[in-house]
C-alpha cells in the first residue's frame, strides 16, 4: 500500500481486528498522515510487515486495551515509530514484541502507561528511543544511538536485560523503577 498526501494508510474502526501485513510494506509519501491509526479500539493485533516513510507516526493508537504489535518494522516516519496515548482512562495490556523501530523523526516508541516492550530493536531515532510514563516493562531489547534518552520511564517500571548504549542519555528512570542487568 502506498500512501496519499493528507490521508492515513489504514484506519481501524472496529474491535477485535487482526491486521496481518503478510510481510508487505505500508509506504507513506510526502504530506501523508499516520501509517495505521486506531482510537478507542480493543483487542487489536498488528503483525508481520513494515510501516515506512509516513508523514505522521508509523502506528498511532489511543484509548484502547489488549493491543499487540509483533514483528513490525516502523522506520523513517515523520512522527513517532509507534505512539500509544490515553485521554482519560489508562490503556491496559499493550505489547510490542520483536519489532524494529528505526530512524523516526519524533522518536521510537512512546506510551502513557501499562506497556510491555520486549525483544525489540529501537535505534537511530531522533528524540527518545523508548518513553513510557508509568507501569511498564522493557525487557531484552536493544536501544542504541537515539538522539534523546534511550529508555525513559517516570515511575513503576521494570527495565531488565536491555542493551542501552550510544544514546544522549542511556536510561532515565525515577520513582519505584527497577533496573537490572543493564549494559
Amino acid at each position: 500500500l502506498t500512501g496519499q498526501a493528507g490521508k492515513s494508510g489504514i484506519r481501524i474502526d472496529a474491535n477485535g481486528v487482526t491486521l496481518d501485513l503478510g510481510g508487505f510494506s505500508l509506504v507513506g509519501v510526502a504530506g501523508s498522515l499516520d501509517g495505521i491509526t486506531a482510537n478507542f479500539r480493543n483487542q487489536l493485533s498488528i503483525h508481520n510487515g513494515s510501516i515506512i516513510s509516513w508523514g505522521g507516526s508509523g502506528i498511532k493508537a489511543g484509548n484502547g486495551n489488549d493491543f499487540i504489535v509483533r514483528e513490525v518494522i516502523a522506520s523513517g516516519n515523520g512522527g513517532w515509530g509507534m505512539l500509544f496515548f490515553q485521554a482519560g482512562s489508562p490503556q491496559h495490556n499493550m505489547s510490542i514484541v520483536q519489532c524494529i523501530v528505526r530512524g523516526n523523526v519524533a522518536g521510537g516508541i512512546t506510551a502513557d502507561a501499562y506497556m510491555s516492550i520486549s525483544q525489540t530493536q529501537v535505534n537511530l531515532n531522533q528524540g527518545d528511543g523508548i518513553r513510557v510514563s508509568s507501569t511498564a516493562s522493557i525487557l531484552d531489547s536493544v536501544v542504541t544511538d537515539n538522539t534523546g534518552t534511550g529508555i525513559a520511564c517516570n515511575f513503576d517500571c521494570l527495565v531488565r536485560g536491555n542493551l542501552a548504549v550510544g544514546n544522549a542519555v542511556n536510561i532515565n528512570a525515577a520513582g519505584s523503577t527497577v533496573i537490572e542487568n543493564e549494559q
Side-chain angles (χ1 to χ4, degrees), residues 17 20 51 88 107-108 112 124 128 130 136 148 167 169 181:
V17 171
D20 182 352
I51 306 164
D112 287 330
L124 300 170
D128 295 338
I130 298 172
N167 305 289
V169 173
N181 301 322

Side-chain angles (χ1 to χ4, degrees), residues 132-161:
V132 292
S133 293
S134 67
T135 321
S137 64
I138 303 162
L139 309 171
D140 304 318
S141 294
V142 176
V143 185
T144 62
D145 303 309
N146 299 286
T147 63
T149 301
I151 298 172
C153 177
N154 289 340
F155 58 93
D156 296 336
C157 292
L158 173 62
V159 180
R160 180 186 298 153

Side-chain angles (χ1 to χ4, degrees), residues 38-168:
N39 293 314
F40 298 99
R41 299 294 164 218
N42 300 311
Q43 300 163 335
L44 303 181
S45 175
I46 299 172
H47 60 274
N48 191 25
S50 300
I51 306 164
I52 57 176
S53 300
W54 288 87
S57 294
I59 297 173
K60 182 178 179 183
N63 300 302
N65 295 304
D66 304 318
F67 198 117
I68 186 165
V69 179
R70 179 184 297 274
E71 298 174 352
V72 167
I73 297 170
S75 179
N77 297 293
W80 286 87
M82 299 180 187
L83 166 64
F84 299 92
F85 64 93
Q86 66 189 42
S89 63
Q91 304 174 120
H92 289 86
N93 300 325
M94 309 295 284
S95 297
I96 297 172
V97 181
Q98 297 175 335
C99 291
I100 297 172
V101 184
R102 176 179 298 135
N104 299 287
V105 174
I109 300 168
T110 186
D112 287 330
Y114 302 101
M115 171 64 70
S116 171
I117 300 169
S118 63
Q119 301 172 355
T120 292
Q121 296 178 33
V122 183
N123 51 36
L124 300 170
N125 297 287
Q126 296 178 35
D128 295 338
I130 298 172
R131 179 178 11 152
V132 292
S133 293
S134 67
T135 321
S137 64
I138 303 162
L139 309 171
D140 304 318
S141 294
V142 176
V143 185
T144 62
D145 303 309
N146 299 286
T147 63
T149 301
I151 298 172
C153 177
N154 289 340
F155 58 93
D156 296 336
C157 292
L158 173 62
V159 180
R160 180 186 298 153
N162 301 289
L163 173 64
V165 296
N167 305 289

